[in-house]
Amino acid sequence: MFEAKFQTFADSAAPALGTEHLKLLRAELERRGLDGFIVPRADAHQNEYVPPCDERLAWLTGFTGSAGVALVLRERAAIVVDGRYTLQAAVQTDPASFEVVPLAETTAERWLEKNLPAGAHFGYDPWLITIDGLAKLRRAVAAAEGTLVAVDTNPLDAVWQDRPPAPAAPVVLRDPALAGETTEEKLARISAALAEEKLDALVLSDPHAVAWTFNIRGGDVSFTPLPLSWAILPREGRPTLFVDGRKLSNATRDALARHAEILEPMLLERAVDLIAASGATIRLDQATAPALLASRVEAAGGKVSAGASPVALMQAAKNVAELEGMRAAHRRDGAALARFLAWLDAEAPTGALTEIDAVCALESFRRETGALKDVSFPSIAGAGPNAALPHYRVSETTNRRIGLNELFLIDSGGQYEDGTTDVTRTIAVGEVDAERRDRFTRVLKGHIAIARAVFPVGTSGAQLDPFARQFLWSAGLDFDHGTGHGVGAYLSVHEGPARISKLGTVPLARGMVLSNEPGYYKTGHFGVRLENLEIVTQAPAMDGAERPLLAFETLTLAPFDRRAIDLSLLTPDEIAWLDRYHARVLEEISPLVDTATRAWLAAATAPLRD
C-alpha cells in the first residue's frame, strides 16, 4: 500500500495523457455545441476526498492534488490551484495544453471573464457546482457576454472510456454504545429544528450528515468512513434514505428500514420534485448541495432555503459516549505515537531515515494496535526546508533525508471505530540553533494559551484565534493558516462548522472537538507546528463569575520535544501547565507501551526544571 501512497507526482506519462484527454473532451464539446466547460475537483457532495470515478480533474489534466478547477475553451485551457499545488500542477500538466493559474493571482471566475469569447456557450455539470458556485459562475459568464449552459450528462464522462465504477463498499451500522444516541432521537431533534426554522424538509447532501443521522459508516472514499448517500428529512413524516442497494446487507437494510424508506440514489431528483410540488420550503445545505437540486425545487414549485444544515451543529457537539470513544482512541493512538517517537529518536540521528520512512513507520505502529481502520488524512512529514510548506505532501520526487541538527515536522492521524485523531509534533534532530528554538517556543506558548483559555459561552473561534498568535505577533511573525478545525467522531478529520481562525464566526459549544495547531514557517529553511485536539468543556466554577464559561480539555497524549524549547521564554505558569500535561501523558500512556518505550517516555516527559 505504501507504493500507491507515495507514487511520484512527476509521472512522465501524466502530461501527455492529459493532452490526449483534453483533445477528446474538446471534440465532445464541439459535438454538443459547447465552446467551453468547467471541470472542478469535486463530486456531487463536495467531499474533501472523492472516489476514483469522480477524479475527473486528474483524468483530464494529470494533476492529482485535492483542490483545483480546470477551465477548457476551444483554444485555451487553464487549471486554477491554490498555493499548495502550484509546483505540483506545473509538473503534472502539459504547459502547452494547460496554463497553471495560482489562485492568489486570479480566481477561476476572473480568468473566465477575461478569456471567454463573447457569444460563447459555456457548459457546467449542475451536480458538481454548489448554489453559491453557480451564482459566481453565472456572473462571470454574463460579464464575458457568454451563455451558461447546464449539461444533462457530463461530456467528460462520455469520453472517459476506462472510468472506474462507482464505489459500493458495505454500509455498516454504528455500535449504539459508540453512537450514544439513537437514530430516532436524532430524527426527533432534526424535526424540531426544522419546525423552529419553519422549514418543511431538509435534504442531506453531505454524506457525513447522513452517516451521523442514521448511525452508519462506510468505505466509499479514502481516509473517511463515508457511505456515499443522500437523505430527505421532512418536518413531519417518514424520512427517505437514498443509497446504492448493493451496499446493504439484508440485516442492515432491515435495520435502516425501521427509520426510513430506502431508495436508490437515481430516484433522488424525482423525490425532490414530489415534495417541492406541494409548495414546500426545502433547506439545501449551502456548502454541499448541488445547484441541480435547487433548480429542481424551483421548477417543481417549491421554495429553496439555502443555508446551513441544522445537522452540522448537532453532529459537531459530541455526546458523552462519543467523547469517551474519542478519549479511548487518543490513548491508543498516543501509545502508537510514543513508540514511533522513541524509534525516531534512536534512528533519525544516523541520517539514514527519509520522510517516507517516517510516515511508513508511524502508520505501522498505528496498525499494530489492531484497531486502525485507516489513516485520517495523508500524513505530512517535512524535514528541514520541506517543513516550511504547511500542507506539504511527501512524494518519491520530494522525499528528503532527515538531517542532523534540523527540525522534522510530522502531522498525522488515525481513524478508529471509537474516534478520529490528528496530531502534529515538531522534533529536534540533534542540536538546533537559537532561532529555531525561539520560534518553536513562541508556537508552544500560543498552543498553551489556547489550551488554557477560559471564555464565555458564545465565544467564536475568531475571538480565540489571537491567543495562538500573540507571541509570534510580538516578534513581528505570524502563520497563514487557521489555528484549528473541527474533528468528527469516526468521521471527517476536518469537520465544520466551528473552527479557530480569523474567519471562524460560529460560537464554540460544549462537546465540540477542535484542533489547536499554531505554527511558524520560514520559507526555504524550517517549519514548526504543534497540534493537539481539544474538547470544549464547561469551565470549573469560578468565584464571582457573572457568565457561564467554557474551557478546553486536551485529548491528544504525546510529549512536546523539550530539546527545542527555550525555557527563558516560558512563564512559570506555562512551565507548570507543560509539566502537568507531560505527567498526564506518562500516567496514561506508559502502561500501554513496552519497557524500552516506557523508559524513553519517562525521560521525554520529565519536569522541565529538573
Side-chain angles (χ1 to χ4, degrees):
M1 66 175 298
F2 297 133
E3 288 77 8
K5 189 173 295 182
F6 299 113
Q7 284 177 347
T8 174
F9 66 60
D11 183 352
S12 60
L17 283 174
T19 296
E20 289 303 311
H21 294 166
L22 179 60
K23 292 177 182 177
L24 292 173
L25 177 59
R26 280 181 167 146
E28 180 66 15
L29 294 179
E30 184 174 3
R31 191 184 70 80
R32 297 189 184 201
L34 295 173
D35 302 297
F37 193 68
I38 184 170
V39 182
R41 198 277 184 177
D43 65 2
H45 307 276
Q46 301 298 313
N47 281 313
E48 178 178 8
Y49 303 113
V50 303
C53 64
D54 286 315
E55 290 282 11
R56 296 178 179 88
L57 184 64
W59 180 86
L60 175 66
T61 67
F63 168 69
T64 59
S66 65
V69 58
L71 302 161
V72 176
L73 304 179
R74 286 183 179 271
E75 303 296 334
R76 300 188 65 180
I79 179 169
V80 182
V81 294
D82 64 41
R84 292 174 293 171
Y85 295 121
T86 305
L87 174 62
Q88 181 176 342
V91 171
Q92 289 185 314
T93 61
D94 181 354
S97 299
F98 293 96
E99 174 190 358
V100 176
V101 179
L103 182 61
E105 296 179 9
T106 190
T107 64
E109 292 79 18
R110 289 198 191 101
W111 188 93
L112 194 60
E113 185 176 335
K114 180 180 178 182
N115 292 284
L116 183 69
H121 288 72
F122 188 80
Y124 71 99
D125 185 338
W127 279 108
L128 304 181
I129 303 289
T130 64
I131 298 169
D132 286 349
L134 178 57
K136 293 177 183 177
L137 188 60
R138 184 175 284 129
R139 287 194 295 269
V141 172
E145 300 182 352
T147 300
L148 190 60
V149 180
V151 298
D152 292 327
T153 59
N154 195 306
L156 187 148
D157 295 350
V159 295
W160 186 357
Q161 295 181 355
D162 57 350
R163 185 183 176 206
V171 172
V172 296
L173 301 174
R174 187 127 171 86
D175 184 341
L178 296 174
E181 187 177 13
T182 67
T183 297
E184 292 93 338
E185 291 167 333
K186 292 178 178 180
L187 289 171
R189 280 209 285 153
I190 296 168
S191 178
L194 296 181
E196 185 175 343
E197 294 197 50
K198 296 181 172 56
L199 300 169
D200 297 305
L202 165 68
V203 175
L204 293 184
S205 48
D206 181 356
H208 302 82
V210 177
W212 178 86
T213 300
F214 291 95
N215 287 331
I216 55 178
R217 297 295 188 267
D220 287 335
V221 302
S222 298
F223 313 118
T224 305
L226 281 185
L228 295 180
S229 51
W230 310 76
I232 297 177
L233 309 183
R235 184 175 66 197
E236 298 176 357
R238 191 165 167 80
T240 305
L241 175 62
F242 301 85
V243 60
D244 187 334
R246 296 174 300 164
K247 302 177 186 180
L248 304 177
S249 68
N250 290 338
T252 300
R253 180 182 288 276
D254 290 345
L256 291 172
R258 290 197 287 269
H259 312 296
E261 298 296 330
I262 312 296
L263 295 178
E264 292 293 320
M266 68 180 67
L267 298 175
L268 173 66
E269 294 173 70
R270 179 60 179 155
V272 168
D273 292 346
L274 289 173
I275 294 176
S278 66
T281 300
I282 301 174
R283 170 59 53 85
L284 298 180
D285 182 0
Q286 205 157 0
T288 65
L292 179 137
L293 294 184
S295 64
R296 298 289 297 222
V297 170
E298 292 168 346
K303 299 175 183 176
V304 172
S305 171
S309 166
V311 172
L313 278 173
M314 298 179 191
Q315 178 182 326
K318 279 58 175 182
N319 59 44
V320 171
E322 289 174 316
L323 293 177
E324 280 304 308
M326 291 290 275
R327 292 184 183 101
H330 279 80
R331 285 191 292 272
R332 183 186 310 111
D333 201 66
L337 193 57
R339 293 180 63 206
F340 165 75
L341 291 172
W343 170 86
L344 185 72
D345 225 23
E347 298 295 329
T350 67
L353 291 184
T354 68
E355 295 164 337
I356 287 180
D357 292 334
V359 171
C360 292
L362 180 50
E363 182 169 335
S364 294
F365 285 121
R366 284 192 166 111
R367 292 206 177 278
E368 287 172 11
T369 66
L372 185 74
K373 295 297 184 180
D374 198 354
V375 294
S376 55
F377 59 97
S379 298
I380 298 170
N386 286 346
L389 303 169
H391 301 284
Y392 172 68
R393 292 286 189 269
V394 60
S395 71
E396 290 178 357
T397 304
T398 65
N399 188 29
R400 188 175 186 276
R401 290 195 178 277
I402 301 171
L404 194 61
N405 302 328
E406 67 179 19
L407 294 174
F408 173 64
L409 184 155
I410 185 154
D411 184 349
S412 67
Q415 290 283 11
Y416 305 93
E417 282 192 65
D418 47 6
T420 301
T421 71
D422 182 4
V423 53
T424 308
R425 287 297 181 265
T426 303
I427 312 302
V429 181
E431 297 290 331
V432 294
D433 62 21
E435 180 188 22
R436 285 166 173 75
R437 286 188 291 111
D438 176 275
R439 303 305 190 259
F440 182 101
T441 309
R442 290 179 187 277
V443 171
L444 177 61
K445 286 167 71 71
H447 178 98
I448 293 172
I450 292 288
R452 295 176 61 203
V454 176
F455 47 95
V457 170
T459 299
S460 70
Q463 291 171 297
L464 290 178
D465 186 71
F467 286 33
R469 301 177 189 272
Q470 58 184 309
F471 306 103
L472 291 166
W473 284 352
S474 67
L477 309 170
D478 202 356
F479 55 96
D480 292 328
H481 56 74
T483 296
H485 55 82
V487 177
Y490 191 42
L491 274 175
S492 177
V493 75
H494 299 129
E495 179 179 87
R499 53 181 169 164
I500 303 174
S501 82
K502 297 172 183 178
L503 304 176
T505 58
V506 174
L508 274 56
R510 286 180 61 184
M512 288 181 174
V513 175
L514 297 110
S515 66
N516 169 11
E517 50 181 310
Y520 170 77
Y521 311 92
K522 185 173 182 179
T523 302
H525 295 275
F526 66 92
V528 176
R529 186 163 62 252
L530 302 172
E531 177 187 18
N532 285 347
L533 298 192
E534 314 278 354
I535 302 172
V536 181
T537 64
Q538 183 175 328
M542 186 180 300
D543 290 341
E546 297 179 352
R547 300 184 181 188
L549 299 172
L550 298 173
F552 289 117
E553 171 196 331
T554 299
L555 272 172
T556 307
L557 297 166
F560 295 99
D561 196 335
R562 301 152 51 91
R563 297 164 299 191
I565 298 174
D566 183 344
L567 277 179
S568 70
L569 296 179
L570 294 182
T571 67
D573 284 347
E574 290 166 339
I575 291 173
W577 180 91
L578 196 53
D579 283 345
R580 286 193 302 272
Y581 173 72
H582 277 160
R584 181 183 159 215
V585 171
L586 181 63
E587 179 183 4
E588 296 200 36
I589 300 302
S590 60
L592 306 177
V593 296
D594 57 273
T595 302
T597 302
R598 193 176 306 127
W600 175 89
L601 189 61
T605 58
L608 289 175
R609 290 295 189 189
D610 282 9

